[in-house]
Short mmCIF file of all heavy atoms in Angstrom, two decimals:
data_model
loop_
_atom_site.label_atom_id
_atom_site.label_comp_id
_atom_site.label_asym_id
_atom_site.label_seq_id
_atom_site.Cartn_x
_atom_site.Cartn_y
_atom_site.Cartn_z
N VAL A 107 7.37 -5.11 1.60
CA VAL A 107 7.02 -5.10 0.26
C VAL A 107 7.80 -4.00 -0.46
O VAL A 107 7.73 -2.81 0.00
CB VAL A 107 5.48 -4.90 0.01
CG1 VAL A 107 5.23 -4.71 -1.45
CG2 VAL A 107 4.77 -6.08 0.61
N ASP A 108 8.63 -4.32 -1.43
CA ASP A 108 9.37 -3.35 -2.19
C ASP A 108 8.66 -3.15 -3.53
O ASP A 108 8.46 -4.10 -4.35
CB ASP A 108 10.78 -3.90 -2.43
CG ASP A 108 11.65 -2.96 -3.20
OD1 ASP A 108 11.36 -1.78 -3.41
OD2 ASP A 108 12.83 -3.45 -3.57
N ALA A 109 8.16 -1.91 -3.73
CA ALA A 109 7.34 -1.65 -4.91
C ALA A 109 7.82 -0.42 -5.65
O ALA A 109 8.35 0.54 -5.00
CB ALA A 109 5.84 -1.31 -4.48
N LEU A 110 7.76 -0.48 -6.91
CA LEU A 110 8.08 0.61 -7.81
C LEU A 110 6.75 0.99 -8.56
O LEU A 110 6.27 0.13 -9.30
CB LEU A 110 9.23 0.30 -8.81
CG LEU A 110 9.65 1.40 -9.81
CD1 LEU A 110 10.12 2.65 -9.03
CD2 LEU A 110 10.65 0.89 -10.76
N TRP A 111 6.33 2.22 -8.28
CA TRP A 111 5.05 2.70 -8.89
C TRP A 111 5.37 3.63 -10.04
O TRP A 111 6.23 4.46 -10.00
CB TRP A 111 4.21 3.42 -7.88
CG TRP A 111 3.70 2.58 -6.78
CD1 TRP A 111 4.24 2.38 -5.47
CD2 TRP A 111 2.54 1.75 -6.79
NE1 TRP A 111 3.50 1.53 -4.72
CE2 TRP A 111 2.43 1.12 -5.52
CE3 TRP A 111 1.65 1.47 -7.73
CZ2 TRP A 111 1.38 0.23 -5.20
CZ3 TRP A 111 0.50 0.55 -7.42
CH2 TRP A 111 0.44 0.03 -6.15
N LEU A 112 4.47 3.56 -11.09
CA LEU A 112 4.54 4.47 -12.21
C LEU A 112 3.11 5.12 -12.19
O LEU A 112 2.07 4.47 -12.34
CB LEU A 112 4.72 3.74 -13.52
CG LEU A 112 6.00 2.89 -13.63
CD1 LEU A 112 6.04 2.14 -14.96
CD2 LEU A 112 7.19 3.72 -13.45
N ARG A 113 3.07 6.47 -11.99
CA ARG A 113 1.76 7.19 -12.03
C ARG A 113 1.67 7.91 -13.35
O ARG A 113 2.61 8.57 -13.78
CB ARG A 113 1.77 8.25 -10.86
CG ARG A 113 1.48 7.59 -9.52
CD ARG A 113 1.26 8.73 -8.51
NE ARG A 113 1.00 8.14 -7.18
CZ ARG A 113 1.02 8.80 -6.05
NH1 ARG A 113 1.49 10.03 -6.06
NH2 ARG A 113 0.73 8.12 -4.95
N ARG A 114 0.50 7.84 -13.89
CA ARG A 114 0.21 8.51 -15.20
C ARG A 114 -1.00 9.46 -15.04
O ARG A 114 -1.91 9.27 -14.30
CB ARG A 114 -0.08 7.47 -16.24
CG ARG A 114 1.08 6.53 -16.47
CD ARG A 114 1.10 5.86 -17.85
NE ARG A 114 2.36 5.11 -18.01
CZ ARG A 114 3.47 5.49 -18.45
NH1 ARG A 114 3.57 6.77 -18.81
NH2 ARG A 114 4.49 4.69 -18.57
N ASP A 115 -0.92 10.50 -15.89
CA ASP A 115 -2.02 11.46 -15.91
C ASP A 115 -3.03 11.03 -16.93
O ASP A 115 -2.90 10.06 -17.65
CB ASP A 115 -1.50 12.89 -16.15
CG ASP A 115 -0.87 13.09 -17.42
OD1 ASP A 115 -1.05 12.26 -18.42
OD2 ASP A 115 -0.16 14.08 -17.59
N ASP A 116 -4.08 11.88 -17.04
CA ASP A 116 -5.17 11.47 -17.92
C ASP A 116 -4.83 11.59 -19.39
O ASP A 116 -5.58 11.10 -20.31
CB ASP A 116 -6.45 12.30 -17.66
CG ASP A 116 -6.25 13.81 -17.52
OD1 ASP A 116 -5.17 14.28 -17.93
OD2 ASP A 116 -7.06 14.43 -16.94
N ALA A 117 -3.70 12.14 -19.77
CA ALA A 117 -3.15 12.09 -21.10
C ALA A 117 -2.17 10.94 -21.34
O ALA A 117 -1.76 10.68 -22.48
CB ALA A 117 -2.42 13.35 -21.38
N GLY A 118 -1.98 10.11 -20.29
CA GLY A 118 -1.12 8.96 -20.43
C GLY A 118 0.34 9.19 -20.20
O GLY A 118 1.14 8.27 -20.22
N ASP A 119 0.60 10.46 -19.87
CA ASP A 119 2.03 10.88 -19.58
C ASP A 119 2.44 10.45 -18.21
O ASP A 119 1.60 10.43 -17.23
CB ASP A 119 2.20 12.37 -19.73
CG ASP A 119 1.98 12.79 -21.22
OD1 ASP A 119 2.30 12.07 -22.10
OD2 ASP A 119 1.54 13.91 -21.40
N LEU A 120 3.70 10.11 -18.01
CA LEU A 120 4.20 9.74 -16.75
C LEU A 120 4.29 10.91 -15.82
O LEU A 120 4.87 11.92 -16.13
CB LEU A 120 5.64 9.11 -16.89
CG LEU A 120 6.23 8.50 -15.65
CD1 LEU A 120 5.50 7.29 -15.20
CD2 LEU A 120 7.72 8.07 -15.98
N MET A 121 3.61 10.84 -14.64
CA MET A 121 3.61 11.87 -13.67
C MET A 121 4.70 11.71 -12.62
O MET A 121 5.40 12.65 -12.25
CB MET A 121 2.26 11.97 -12.85
CG MET A 121 1.06 12.25 -13.67
SD MET A 121 -0.43 12.09 -12.57
CE MET A 121 -0.30 13.50 -11.61
N ALA A 122 4.92 10.44 -12.31
CA ALA A 122 5.93 10.18 -11.21
C ALA A 122 6.33 8.72 -11.31
O ALA A 122 5.52 7.79 -11.73
CB ALA A 122 5.31 10.48 -9.82
N ARG A 123 7.58 8.41 -10.96
CA ARG A 123 8.14 7.09 -10.87
C ARG A 123 8.81 7.09 -9.47
O ARG A 123 9.78 7.84 -9.26
CB ARG A 123 9.05 6.88 -11.92
CG ARG A 123 9.71 5.45 -11.93
CD ARG A 123 10.76 5.39 -13.14
NE ARG A 123 11.23 4.06 -13.33
CZ ARG A 123 12.27 3.52 -12.71
NH1 ARG A 123 13.00 4.27 -11.90
NH2 ARG A 123 12.66 2.27 -12.97
N PHE A 124 8.27 6.23 -8.56
CA PHE A 124 8.85 6.22 -7.22
C PHE A 124 8.80 4.88 -6.57
O PHE A 124 7.94 4.06 -6.89
CB PHE A 124 8.10 7.24 -6.36
CG PHE A 124 6.68 7.03 -6.21
CD1 PHE A 124 6.20 6.37 -5.11
CD2 PHE A 124 5.79 7.42 -7.13
CE1 PHE A 124 4.87 6.11 -4.97
CE2 PHE A 124 4.45 7.18 -7.09
CZ PHE A 124 3.97 6.56 -5.91
N ALA A 125 9.72 4.65 -5.78
CA ALA A 125 9.86 3.37 -5.04
C ALA A 125 9.43 3.52 -3.62
O ALA A 125 9.64 4.59 -2.98
CB ALA A 125 11.25 2.83 -5.05
#
Side-chain angles (χ1 to χ4, degrees):
V107 174
D108 182 10
L110 178 61
W111 293 98
L112 304 176
R113 283 187 178 161
R114 298 202 177 272
D115 64 17
D116 46 19
D119 294 327
L120 188 65
M121 294 175 72
R123 180 180 190 271
F124 60 97

